[in-house]
Amino acid sequence: MTSSIPTKAANAKVVIGKPLSPARLALRRFSRNRLGLIGTVIVALFVLCAIFAPIISPHDYQNTSAINAYKAPGESPEYLLGTDESGRDVLSRLIWGARTSLIVSLAAQAIMLVLGLVLGFSAGWFGGWIDFVVNRLIEVFVALPALLFRILVVIVLGGGITNLILAISLLAWPELARLVRAQVLGYRGREFVEASHALGSSTTEIALRHVLPNILNPLIVAITFSIPSVIILESSLSFLGYGINEPTPSWGKMVGGAANYIQSYWHLGILPTICLSIVMIGFSFFGDAVRDALDPRSAQKAP
Amino acid sequence: MARFLITRFSGMAFVLLVVSFLTFALMYNVPGGPFDQNKQPLSEAAMANIKRKYGLDQPFYVQWGRYVVNAVQGDFGTSYVAEGDKIVTLFGKYWGASLIFGALSLAWSIPLGLILGVWAAIKRNTLIDYVVTLISVVGITVPVFALGIFGLYLFSIRWKLLPYTGWDLVNEPLTAVLPVIIFGLLPLGTIARYTRAGMLEVLAQDYVRTARAKGLTFKVVVLKHALRNALIPILTVIGPFIPNALTGSAILERMFNIPGVGRYFIDSIQARDYPVIMATVLIVAVLWGITYLLTDLLYTVADPRIRIDGSKS
């Protein structure tokens, strides 16, 4: 007996090597995902464009000039991707459009996250009538027609970026709340939580120190998928004319404005569409890779 | 079962009550309100008359209460814009196009999505699998207006294969091709993706290997044993597409000039046609409620292990 145990341990050491932290393992899984890397590059480019828009855009996005209107891409070296109906540089507006999308999606995401965490956590943790109320609220918000009701909200509040963020986020939190609630329910009765409770920790303390770290991974996964869906909402509302106001550029609005004369000036509608599509596909690859890295069990199960 | 249905229906009634209240509260705050003076200035007495006729002189909660009481009795009021027309009649007119549009889109995309998903799972890691995955990614992630613009530009303008917008099923059925294909891409992609994943999971199960080992052909195993089990989670995925498709797409209806309910809704908000806005929101809410209920019931049919109260035995 004395001889067999050390041998086993020694063998294990040779095979496994130095144990890696979960974060390192996740990073390794992530970097092995080729599509995920492509997605990461696309998302990184999108974010960089958004951050450095004032520096990299060749023109002011709102500079109009009637003589330069409707230039096709490549027609003039000064306007690489052409100009729109008021002679504004399309390339600059595309770059600034990335910024608009990112601002809206991050701000809306932050509001959704706070609402989802607070409501989902209270429902799962306290149960009883709080759980009942939150669940009914979720049912109500899920039943509202997603796009049509947001149009109504935008019309009531008025257009503009702040109201758009509110219209998107105030109706989109139920998904996160549901996730948080389900996760918290799973942890409520666990020994480490009860132990902490017995030691006199307050609810807030338990929530922040013990439960939140445990639900972080599914939360991160949910957020990586939620950001592109917010971008879709922003661009769809802007496309219909109930989103971003002039002169702020938004890809959806650019497409919406150009849809009527796409027969004569294809680039005004097609270029923002291409940008949006590439960014969406990039986010999808990125999100899949993040999920597979953080939750290896789902890698075999989920698509 | 009876208890389950009663709970669900009373839950639905509650949701509808709150939804109607929220919509009413928002509508009440649309700047301008109905019958503002922009188009045709009216004398004060005439205005007061109109407001009294539609009950708009009453406080907000009274109006809401009256609406609910009437709606329960099947009276959704009359449109302010198309004066005197019953909401029910108006919806019959506008919903038709949306219903056909949505139904046609699902009619090709649901079966094809299932077929592609199964096919991709059987031929895992081959060209077919990659093509199906690509279609799924594009259909799921690219917003519908972007797909619409691409489609219009390529098929109608560049290659001139299909008519440029319009909706005339009887005289010009080709007008429906592009919008119906584009509207179906999201359900197609989603269903193909989940079917593929579900099939891959099921095909790795022991009972599938057993079925193969006892001499059943691959075809029988895939279609009878694997697909039936893979179908259960797919039902939840298909469910929400049905109310979604049947209530039309405001974006595609505008883009392709389809006289459907999505476009009508936006026009009605602009015109502050309260009864139309209310009716649309409520009908969508009812459709969603029914879909969730049916999905839960179908679940118990597809998988007898699942009980009606949602627990697994």
Side-chain angles (χ1 to χ4, degrees):
Chain A
M1 187 176 168
T2 36
S3 63
S4 70
I5 287 173
T7 328
K8 248 186 183 169
N11 276 345
K13 227 173 192 171
V14 172
V15 178
I16 298 171
K18 206 174 150 213
L20 290 167
S21 72
R24 283 287 296 275
L25 278 171
L27 200 64
R28 182 189 276 182
R29 279 193 295 270
F30 187 87
S31 60
R32 278 188 191 150
N33 188 331
R34 231 182 312 158
L35 284 180
L37 288 179
I38 297 175
T40 312
V41 170
I42 295 173
V43 171
L45 280 176
F46 167 70
V47 173
L48 287 176
C49 270
I51 294 173
F52 295 107
I55 300 168
I56 53 176
S57 54
H59 293 268
D60 189 335
Y61 68 84
Q62 48 180 334
N63 258 5
T64 57
S65 89
I67 30 164
N68 286 323
Y70 293 123
K71 280 211 183 330
E75 193 183 314
S76 137
E78 205 187 332
Y79 304 102
L80 270 179
L81 295 181
T83 58
D84 67 4
E85 67 278 10
S86 344
R88 296 175 297 192
D89 181 37
V90 170
L91 177 60
S92 306
R93 289 185 72 75
L94 287 176
I95 294 170
W96 280 85
R99 184 175 238 201
T100 310
S101 290
L102 192 71
I103 290 174
V104 172
S105 60
L106 289 183
Q109 198 60 57
I111 298 175
M112 284 156 61
L113 200 59
V114 170
L115 284 172
L117 271 175
V118 170
L119 291 171
F121 188 87
S122 326
W125 190 262
F126 299 111
W129 67 270
I130 298 181
D131 191 27
F132 181 82
V133 170
V134 171
N135 270 321
R136 296 294 87 72
L137 262 181
I138 290 177
E139 277 169 22
V140 167
F141 277 84
V142 167
L144 296 170
L147 197 65
L148 301 185
F149 205 79
R150 284 191 173 90
I151 294 174
L152 189 60
V153 174
V154 168
I155 290 178
V156 170
L157 296 176
I161 198 162
T162 322
N163 293 339
L164 181 66
I165 291 167
L166 288 176
I168 291 174
S169 55
L170 292 182
L171 297 173
W173 56 268
E175 230 169 291
L176 276 174
R178 252 191 197 152
L179 173 86
V180 173
R181 177 182 171 272
Q183 292 283 331
V184 169
L185 271 180
Y187 284 107
R188 196 171 56 175
R190 293 280 188 89
E191 287 83 353
F192 68 91
V193 172
E194 304 226 309
S196 178
H197 202 71
L199 286 170
S201 311
S202 69
T203 304
T204 337
E205 213 176 332
I206 298 175
L208 294 178
R209 299 242 326 252
H210 301 292
V211 180
L212 194 63
N214 275 305
I215 65 171
L216 210 55
N217 279 0
L219 210 55
I220 291 173
V221 173
I223 292 169
T224 40
F225 284 108
S226 176
I227 287 177
S229 69
V230 171
I231 296 180
I232 290 192
L233 276 173
E234 179 271 314
S235 55
S236 302
L237 284 166
S238 298
F239 169 83
L240 287 170
Y242 301 99
I244 303 292
N245 281 342
E246 287 291 344
T248 315
S250 139
W251 293 342
K253 199 183 60 185
M254 290 168 83
V255 182
N260 289 330
Y261 29 80
I262 188 169
Q263 277 165 303
S264 348
Y265 306 104
W266 63 272
H267 66 286
L268 296 181
I270 295 298
L271 291 177
T273 313
I274 291 174
C275 289
L276 189 63
S277 308
I278 291 176
V279 168
M280 283 300 117
I281 291 172
F283 263 109
S284 157
F285 289 159
F286 177 71
D288 284 348
V290 168
R291 184 196 53 210
D292 295 349
L294 291 182
D295 186 4
R297 266 169 311 166
S298 76
Q300 298 111 36
K301 218 170 76 182
Chain B
M1 181 72 182
R3 219 185 122 193
F4 168 77
L5 284 179
I6 291 170
T7 326
R8 288 296 289 264
F9 276 117
S10 51
M12 236 158 93
F14 169 78
V15 166
L16 287 177
L17 207 63
V18 180
V19 166
S20 75
F21 184 81
L22 281 176
T23 316
F24 218 89
L26 272 173
M27 256 173 18
Y28 206 75
N29 288 305
V30 171
F35 309 114
D36 58 0
Q37 308 275 331
N38 290 345
K39 281 182 196 152
Q40 34 185 179
L42 291 168
S43 71
E44 227 154 85
M47 250 333 254
N49 245 336
I50 290 183
K51 285 202 165 166
R52 197 164 335 113
K53 181 179 164 197
Y54 292 106
L56 291 167
D57 52 344
Q58 305 278 334
F60 157 65
Y61 53 90
V62 175
Q63 290 187 38
W64 174 64
R66 186 185 290 165
Y67 181 86
V68 171
V69 170
N70 288 338
V72 168
Q73 297 164 349
D75 177 13
F76 292 92
T78 54
S79 163
Y80 294 168
V81 174
E83 224 183 312
D85 271 3
K86 286 251 176 232
I87 294 298
V88 183
T89 329
L90 281 173
F91 270 87
K93 194 163 125 198
Y94 290 101
W95 211 293
S98 286
L99 269 178
I100 294 170
F101 180 35
L104 284 176
S105 308
L106 292 180
W108 74 271
S109 60
I110 292 179
L112 191 63
L114 288 170
I115 292 169
L116 287 182
V118 173
W119 199 13
I122 298 171
K123 306 267 177 193
R124 195 184 185 179
N125 292 334
T126 63
L127 186 66
I128 291 155
D129 187 18
Y130 297 141
V131 170
V132 171
T133 307
L134 184 74
I135 295 173
S136 299
V137 169
V138 170
I140 293 169
T141 55
V142 180
V144 72
F145 73 83
L147 294 171
I149 285 284
F150 274 136
L152 265 183
Y153 177 63
L154 291 178
F155 293 98
S156 303
I157 296 169
R158 257 333 248 286
W159 302 327
K160 298 196 167 46
L161 292 171
L162 293 166
Y164 180 76
T165 74
W167 181 262
D168 190 351
L169 279 179
V170 183
N171 300 320
E172 241 188 303
L174 273 181
T175 49
V177 173
L178 199 52
V180 164
I181 287 178
I182 285 162
F183 202 24
L185 283 177
L186 176 62
L188 175 81
T190 316
I191 291 164
R193 186 178 201 180
Y194 280 87
T195 309
R196 176 183 175 275
M199 283 301 284
L200 284 179
E201 198 189 339
V202 171
L203 285 175
Q205 298 285 329
D206 288 341
Y207 62 80
V208 169
R209 201 177 311 146
T210 312
R212 284 287 283 149
K214 76 177 185 186
L216 294 180
T217 62
F218 187 63
K219 206 169 133 191
V220 171
V221 173
V222 166
L223 293 180
K224 285 202 130 167
H225 296 236
L227 184 60
R228 188 168 171 178
N229 282 291
L231 218 52
I232 297 161
I234 298 166
L235 281 179
T236 8
V237 180
I238 296 180
F241 282 117
I242 294 168
N244 215 13
L246 297 187
T247 47
S249 155
I251 290 173
L252 289 180
E253 282 170 16
R254 171 179 283 200
M255 189 177 268
F256 289 94
N257 262 324
I258 302 168
V261 81
R263 237 180 59 182
Y264 183 47
F265 178 79
I266 295 178
D267 293 345
S268 302
I269 303 181
Q270 299 283 24
R272 294 150 208 143
D273 202 343
Y274 289 179
V276 177
I277 303 174
M278 280 302 281
T280 315
V281 174
L282 286 180
I283 288 172
V284 174
V286 169
L287 277 174
W288 277 98
I290 293 175
T291 308
Y292 282 129
L293 184 64
L294 285 182
T295 317
D296 285 354
L297 288 177
L298 265 180
Y299 240 63
T300 60
V301 177
D303 185 352
R305 286 172 304 177
I306 299 172
R307 295 235 193 96
I308 202 99
D309 55 9
S311 65
K312 252 191 172 187
S313 58

